[in-house]
Amino acid sequence: MQELFVIPDCRVITVESVGAAGLHVAAQVKHSHADCPSCQRPSQSVHSRYHRHPADLPSLGNAVHIKLLVRRFYCRNPICPRRTFAEPVPELLSPRARRTRRLAGAQGRVGVTCGGEAGARLLRQLGMPTSADTVLRLVHALPLPECAPPSVLGVDDWALRKGCSYGTILVDLEAHRVVDLLSDRTAQTLTDWLKDRDTVTVIARDRSTEYARGSALGAPGAVQVADRWHLLQNLRQMVERWLAGVHGRLRRLPPVSGGAVARRTGGYPRSRTEAAATADSRARRHAVYEEVRRRVAAGEKLLTISRTMGLARGTVRSYAHAQHFPERAVREAGLGILAPHREYLEARLAEGNENAAALWRELQDRGFAGSAKQVRRWLNQRRTGPAKFTPHKWRPGPSEAASTLAKGPFPALISPRQLAWRLVQAPQSIDTAATEALARISQDPEVAKGRDLVRRLAELIGRCGVGSDARPANPSAVLDSWLKDALSCGIPAVETFAAGVRQDEAAVKAALTMPWSSGQAEGQVNKLKLIKRQMYGRANFDLLRRRVLLAA
C-alpha cells in the first residue's frame, strides 16, 4: 500500500473505495515532533488532533481524497508569540489548502494549456474536478520560468484587440522561446525593458520607427537588424501604391505583341437593369473619389478623411495618390476542366469561331467530359460580339456594348496589387501572362526605370537570405549603389522609399550581412494568437502574458 500511494512525509493507514466519490486515503505524519513556525523550536507536546481532507492526484481514473490526521503542538518557548501550532507538511500541503501541491500544479498546467472553461471540462474527465475560476487562479499561482538573459533578441508587435490596442513580444532567438510580453508597442516601454538587461547584443526587428528608437535608447551598443521579409513587403507595398496612382495611364498602353483585339473581359449583363446597376455603382465610387481628392487638396489628413467619410484608410490612401479614377480591375476567369484544351480553344477563337456549341462538340471528340455550359462560360469572357441567337432583349445597346469592352482600344490590365507582386518576384518564376503584362507597362518610361530599381533591390534581398549560395561579395556596396540611383530616379514613390531605407541604413545593411531575422518572432505571435483565441479573446493582459510565458 505504501508503494502504491506515496504521500510525502506521511504514512498511509488505510485506503477505502467510496464508489462514485473515488478513493479515501487515511494517513498521518511520520515525524514525532514538529518545529514552531515562529521560533523554529521543536516540540513534542501534543495539544490536540484534527483531520484535514485535501484532494490529491487521481489513481487509476478515480478521484482521491486524503484524510490526514494532523496534530497541534504546544510551543514551549516562553518568548514566542505562539502558544500552539499545527504541524506543517510543506512538501504535501500549503497552509489551509484544500488540494495537495502536486494536484494544484497539475491543474494549473492543464489551465496553461487549455484555459479556464476548457481546462475545467477536461479536469472533470481526468478525475481532478474543479471550477474554471479555480483553474485560472492556479495558473496565476504558478511560478514563471527562469531563463538566461538573452543576447540575440527578436522584437515584434501583436494585437491584443486588432485595430485598437497592440503589445510587443520579445523572443530569445538563440533559445527559441518567448522572453516577455509588453503591454504596448511604444519606444519608451521597450527602452525601459532593455535598460534592465545589458546582455542584449543583437536586436532583430521590423522597420517600425518606434522599435528602432526604443532599441537605440535602451541598448545603444546592440546591433539592430531589419527583417528582410518586412523590407521586401515594404517594397511591394510601395510599388502597389505607385502603380495604383498611374494605373489609369498604364491601361491605355497597347500590348507588346500588337496582335490583341478588343475583347470582352467579363460576361455580358443579362439585363439592362444589371447594366444600369453597374453604372450606378461606378458613379457612386467616382463621387467618393472626387470628394477624397477635394479634401486632400484642401489639406485634410488622410486619417481625418477616413474617419469623416467612413472609408478604410487603404481606400483613402489609394484615392489620394491615384492620378486617375481607379477602375475596378478585371480578373481573368480560371480554366478548370478546360485547362488541357486551352491551346486548342485559343487557336479556334483566333480563327473567328465563337460558336460555343460547335466548340463543345469539337472538344468532345478530343476527350472533353464536361458540359457545353462550361465552354459557353469560357467563351463569354472572350466574345467580340453577342452570340448569334442571343434574344434581342438581352443584346446590349451601342453605349452598353462599348462599356462591356475593355476601356480604350486595348485589353484590360491586371490590378496594381497583382502587378506589384509580379515586379518583386524573380522573372523566371512568373508565368507568360504576367510577363506580357509587365512588358506592356514597361513601355512607360517611368515604369521601366522603376521596374529595374525594384528588381535590383528584390534580387539583392533574395540573394542575401539565409542559406543562399548567391550572396554578393559586398552587399553593403551593392545597397549603396542602389540607394544612389533610387534617390535620384525622379519617381516620388521610389525616392520616398529609398529615403526611408537610407534613414534605417545600418539595420538594413545588417540584415544583408547577418543571419538573424524576425521569423521566430512571427511564429511565436502565431502561437500567442492561438492561446488568445482559446480564451475567446477576452483574457486580460496579465493572464495572457502568464500563459504565453508558461507555455514557452
Side-chain angles (χ1 to χ4, degrees):
M1 192 68 66
Q2 289 282 356
E3 290 78 10
L4 183 60
F5 296 96
V6 179
I7 302 177
D9 296 332
C10 297
R11 180 172 59 253
V12 176
I13 301 174
T14 62
V15 177
E16 179 185 1
S17 176
V18 289
L23 300 176
H24 284 186
V25 180
Q28 66 182 25
V29 181
K30 294 179 181 179
H31 308 298
S32 60
H33 66 278
D35 296 337
C36 174
S38 297
C39 65
Q40 305 302 318
R41 175 176 290 188
S43 175
Q44 293 183 338
S45 303
V46 178
H47 172 274
S48 58
R49 292 174 175 85
Y50 67 97
H51 287 93
R52 295 179 66 177
H53 299 83
D56 198 9
L57 289 173
S59 176
L60 303 177
N62 297 307
V64 175
H65 286 80
I66 301 175
K67 185 179 181 181
L68 182 63
L69 179 63
V70 180
R71 294 167 293 181
R72 179 171 288 277
F73 290 88
Y74 286 104
C75 181
R76 297 304 186 184
N77 186 355
I79 62 173
C80 181
R82 290 180 182 268
R83 291 292 175 261
T84 64
F85 63 90
E87 59 182 339
V89 195
E91 292 189 19
L92 179 66
L93 285 168
S94 300
R96 295 177 292 278
R98 300 300 302 272
R99 56 178 50 81
T100 62
R101 291 184 184 273
R102 56 192 182 186
L103 175 61
Q107 291 173 329
R109 284 293 170 184
V110 171
V112 169
T113 303
C114 301
E117 295 290 346
R121 290 194 296 268
L122 177 60
L123 288 169
R124 283 195 291 271
Q125 303 299 321
L126 297 178
M128 298 181 285
T130 190
S131 68
D133 290 338
T134 300
V135 171
L136 296 183
R137 180 169 55 82
L138 293 173
V139 171
H140 280 291
L142 288 174
L144 293 177
E146 295 182 2
C147 53
S151 60
V152 182
L153 189 68
V155 182
D156 202 358
D157 61 347
W158 56 276
L160 184 61
R161 185 180 177 191
K162 193 173 180 67
C164 296
S165 58
Y166 290 82
T168 299
I169 187 169
L170 305 172
V171 181
D172 187 337
L173 299 185
E174 292 180 313
H176 298 261
R177 64 178 300 159
V178 178
V179 177
D180 205 350
L181 294 185
L182 306 181
S183 58
D184 58 44
R185 54 178 179 179
T186 61
Q188 186 60 49
T189 302
L190 180 59
T191 299
D192 295 341
W193 191 92
L194 288 172
K195 282 182 177 179
D196 297 332
R197 295 158 182 85
D198 57 357
T199 60
V200 178
T201 58
V202 176
I203 300 176
R205 57 170 177 80
D206 58 19
R207 300 191 62 238
S208 166
T209 55
E210 285 290 305
Y211 288 154
R213 187 166 66 255
S215 300
L217 295 175
V223 177
Q224 297 187 38
V225 182
D227 185 62
R228 290 180 293 274
W229 183 87
H230 283 94
L231 183 61
L232 196 60
Q233 182 192 38
N234 297 151
L235 176 65
R236 184 198 61 78
Q237 292 169 341
M238 178 275 293
V239 174
E240 181 180 343
R241 290 193 297 268
W242 165 45
L243 293 181
V246 298
H247 199 255
R249 184 178 78 218
L250 300 181
R251 284 198 303 267
R252 295 193 289 270
L253 294 172
V256 174
S257 59
V261 182
R263 296 190 180 279
R264 285 165 37 97
T265 55
Y268 276 98
R270 295 182 61 84
S271 66
R272 281 179 166 76
T273 303
E274 289 184 355
T278 301
D280 290 343
S281 175
R282 184 186 182 280
R284 289 193 299 271
R285 289 188 294 112
H286 192 274
V288 172
Y289 166 76
E290 293 292 345
E291 177 65 14
V292 170
R293 298 286 294 183
R294 185 190 67 77
R295 289 174 178 266
V296 170
E300 289 190 37
K301 294 183 178 180
L302 299 186
L303 185 59
T304 303
I305 299 175
S306 172
R307 291 172 176 172
T308 304
M309 300 185 64
L311 298 175
R313 284 173 287 181
T315 302
V316 174
R317 187 183 300 110
S318 65
Y319 282 177
H321 292 92
Q323 298 178 1
H324 306 277
F325 174 63
E327 300 285 355
R328 284 179 174 168
V330 182
R331 185 167 53 188
E332 184 77 8
L335 285 172
I337 195 174
L338 289 171
H341 309 281
R342 177 177 180 174
E343 294 183 1
Y344 179 80
L345 287 172
E346 294 287 358
R348 294 289 289 134
L349 188 62
E351 295 172 1
N353 190 337
E354 297 185 359
N355 188 323
L359 289 175
W360 174 61
R361 288 191 291 268
E362 294 175 14
L363 291 185
Q364 280 188 311
D365 296 337
R366 295 171 55 88
F368 178 63
S371 65
K373 186 176 183 179
Q374 292 166 309
V375 180
R376 189 177 302 111
R377 284 176 175 173
W378 177 87
L379 186 61
N380 283 343
Q381 301 291 327
R382 295 159 176 81
R383 290 185 184 277
T384 57
K388 182 177 180 181
F389 298 105
T390 301
H392 181 74
K393 65 178 181 178
W394 287 352
R395 289 177 179 266
S399 59
E400 295 170 349
S403 66
T404 63
L405 294 174
K407 300 296 180 182
F410 303 115
L413 185 63
I414 58 178
S415 68
R417 173 171 295 185
Q418 292 173 313
L419 289 171
W421 273 112
R422 286 4 179 235
L423 272 176
V424 298
Q425 290 176 325
Q428 62 272 17
S429 64
I430 58 178
D431 56 20
T432 304
T435 303
E436 293 176 355
L438 293 182
R440 176 181 171 187
I441 66 173
S442 296
Q443 297 176 92
D444 185 276
E446 178 181 318
V447 173
K449 182 185 295 185
R451 178 202 61 184
D452 295 338
L453 289 169
V454 168
R455 282 188 168 170
R456 279 172 56 189
L457 183 58
E459 181 183 2
L460 175 62
I461 297 171
R463 291 174 63 189
C464 292
V466 176
S468 175
D469 297 329
R471 184 189 296 270
N474 191 349
S476 298
V478 178
L479 180 64
D480 289 337
S481 175
W482 183 87
L483 285 172
K484 180 181 178 181
D485 295 339
L487 289 170
S488 59
C489 68
I491 305 174
V494 178
E495 290 180 350
T496 301
F497 175 79
V501 174
R502 172 73 77 183
Q503 184 179 359
D504 204 19
E505 184 176 358
V508 173
K509 287 184 176 179
L512 302 178
T513 56
M514 300 180 71
W516 304 111
S517 71
S518 299
Q520 284 187 50
E522 296 287 351
Q524 295 291 353
V525 169
N526 287 339
K527 185 176 180 180
L528 186 153
K529 289 178 181 177
L530 173 63
I531 294 174
K532 187 181 73 167
R533 288 165 183 167
Q534 281 182 333
M535 297 180 281
Y536 300 93
R538 300 184 65 179
N540 60 27
F541 173 76
D542 293 335
L543 176 59
L544 183 61
R545 174 179 178 269
R546 180 168 288 273
R547 283 193 62 184
V548 170
L549 295 181
L550 289 170

